[in-house]
Amino acid sequence: MTGRLFTTAARRYWLLLMLTTAICPAQQVAAQGPGNSGNYYAPADGKTGAALKTALAAIIYDRTERTYGELWTDFQTTDVRDDGYVWDMYSCITNFVFGTHQDKGTGGKNEGEFYNREHSFPNSWFGGKVPPMYTDLHHMYPTDKLVNNKRGNNPFGQTDGTWLSAEGFSKLGPCTYPGYTGTVFEPNDIYKGDFSRTYFYMVTCYEEKLPDWYASNAESQATLDGNTYPGLSSWQLAMLMEWAKRDPVSEKEIVRNEAVFAIQHNRNPFIDYQGLEDYIWGDKTGVPFCYDQNATAINTATTDSHRHVSTDIFAPDGRRLSQLQHGLNIVRTTDGRVIKLIK
């Protein structure tokens, strides 16, 4: 599978058919995990709560480490839009050409000028250029240089915004989510689930390192709690759990997860299993994990343009739309929900 989105109805139907949610069967000829994972997650079978998190950490930690320079090329597979441009989750006005608009170390005073390599989980939180976190593709994204620089090392959060990117797509300002009042960066609603699952991956994959990160890097303390479990501070965990529910796993994430797996040979289980976070931190912590159950299914309820009164409609690549278009649409409704639907 490549990093590109499926572009034909037949391929989309095949993906959805393969990923349809199912209860763990009593009998199977050969148990298989979601997507192309086979028995990758089998060692976590039967685990619950904190033990499940630890079991997953042991599975996903091993990978082929990348160099920082290789990320530029990797992005051409992991983060390419269907139209061939760079998939930027921080700005909605960019049409970056790979290589051509790659950050050269100068410029970037205007949004839409260059893209660079964003550690969505800031590298200062784990000590800087420290392997393997520094080049882990599961939390590395190409993003607009100006917006990335504005974000800095601030945690994700919710804010009214003292600074806004173009069209108010991303925000920076004092946190309005209960439990924290410092400066935060708020990504757009259509990508909040993506970043939630990225953070769930980080605090799972590197759980043994979390206490040291917390003790050594004060900037991390708004997000981390200093323990291997839960790993995230109470306000951050509550917010990310909400974000993950409002913005469920998308086709973009599934395809990217496969692309990263092909490069560095480990997976993000929170993409492979929609709602896995509930088994670790939520209301299903007493329910045993079964690796061949509940493979992620994309929310593709067919609807018409009048069923949901929306405040914003976006294409999967972040472009704002004036109305629903044919194919996959991402809609932010008036009640704050984010839905993905096929028209």
Side-chain angles (χ1 to χ4, degrees):
M1 184 181 295
T2 68
R4 288 184 176 274
L5 286 176
F6 294 93
T7 55
T8 67
R11 294 180 72 194
R12 187 184 303 281
Y13 176 77
W14 177 86
L15 176 67
L16 298 176
L17 181 64
M18 294 297 292
L19 296 174
T20 300
T21 300
I23 301 299
C24 183
Q27 293 183 342
Q28 279 187 301
V29 174
Q32 294 290 317
N36 298 319
S37 64
N39 65 353
Y40 180 76
Y41 294 111
D45 227 35
K47 301 295 194 301
T48 61
L52 172 58
K53 182 172 178 286
T54 298
L56 290 170
I59 295 168
I60 66 178
Y61 186 84
D62 290 334
R63 93 296 304 271
T64 300
E65 190 175 341
R66 310 300 290 164
T67 68
Y68 198 52
E70 286 174 326
L71 297 179
W72 293 122
T73 302
D74 293 340
F75 287 157
Q76 296 180 38
T77 300
T78 61
D79 294 273
V80 58
R81 294 184 341 204
D82 199 40
D83 58 10
Y85 292 115
V86 175
W87 200 315
D88 177 5
M89 296 197 291
Y90 277 6
S91 172
C92 66
I93 65 167
T94 60
N95 288 301
F96 293 130
V97 175
F98 285 103
T100 301
H101 297 115
Q102 178 180 311
D103 180 22
K104 304 299 193 299
T106 60
K109 294 182 178 180
N110 300 304
E111 190 172 347
E113 191 174 355
F114 295 108
Y115 70 95
N116 58 12
R117 294 162 290 190
E118 162 69 328
H119 295 84
S120 62
F121 190 97
N123 67 80
S124 65
W125 295 3
F126 52 75
K129 299 179 181 181
V130 181
M133 296 78 66
Y134 189 62
T135 58
D136 189 337
L137 277 165
H138 282 296
H139 83 117
M140 298 291 299
Y141 300 99
T143 62
D144 182 87
K145 182 177 180 179
L146 173 71
V147 182
N148 186 357
N149 288 342
K150 288 288 186 180
R151 189 262 167 114
N153 299 327
N154 292 298
F156 285 135
Q158 294 178 190
T159 179
D160 293 330
T162 55
W163 180 86
L164 307 177
S165 69
E167 300 187 30
F169 195 75
S170 298
K171 306 174 187 177
L172 183 76
C175 187
T176 57
Y177 193 89
Y180 188 67
T181 58
T183 300
V184 296
F185 180 82
E186 181 176 356
N188 194 270
D189 287 355
I190 65 173
Y191 296 126
K192 283 178 177 174
D194 303 55
F195 289 120
S196 296
R197 286 175 281 275
T198 296
Y199 272 41
F200 295 153
Y201 164 87
M202 290 297 288
V203 299
T204 298
C205 184
Y206 302 108
E207 70 168 17
E208 290 187 355
K209 302 178 184 293
L210 298 182
D212 180 63
W213 293 355
Y214 183 89
S216 302
N217 305 290
E219 290 179 338
S220 73
Q221 293 175 5
T223 297
L224 304 179
D225 70 351
N227 302 300
T228 58
Y229 182 85
L232 291 163
S233 63
S234 58
W235 78 271
Q236 182 83 173
L237 179 58
M239 183 190 72
L240 294 178
M241 294 284 279
E242 290 179 13
W243 285 9
K245 284 182 172 59
R246 287 180 177 272
D247 176 27
V249 175
S250 64
E251 184 178 0
K252 172 193 185 298
E253 293 173 84
I254 293 172
V255 173
R256 188 181 198 276
N257 195 29
E258 293 291 347
V260 173
F261 180 58
I263 294 170
Q264 67 177 41
H265 309 117
N266 74 330
R267 306 179 68 89
N268 183 339
F270 298 93
I271 295 172
D272 283 329
Y273 297 94
Q274 172 71 54
L276 174 61
E277 59 272 13
D278 290 329
Y279 289 78
I280 296 176
W281 297 287
D283 58 6
K284 296 181 180 178
T285 54
V287 179
F289 173 75
C290 179
Y291 81 95
D292 58 350
Q293 76 172 354
N294 297 336
T296 294
I298 304 172
N299 177 5
T300 55
T302 302
T303 186
D304 59 71
S305 60
H306 302 292
R307 183 173 177 181
H308 299 283
V309 179
S310 63
T311 56
D312 295 291
I313 303 173
F314 297 94
D317 59 21
R319 290 176 294 109
R320 192 182 299 272
L321 305 173
S322 59
Q323 60 184 2
L324 293 176
Q325 65 177 11
H326 179 72
L328 185 67
N329 293 262
I330 302 170
V331 178
R332 182 171 59 203
T333 64
T334 52
D335 63 4
R337 293 179 300 113
V338 173
I339 61 173
K340 297 174 177 67
L341 54 91
I342 290 179
K343 179 174 183 288

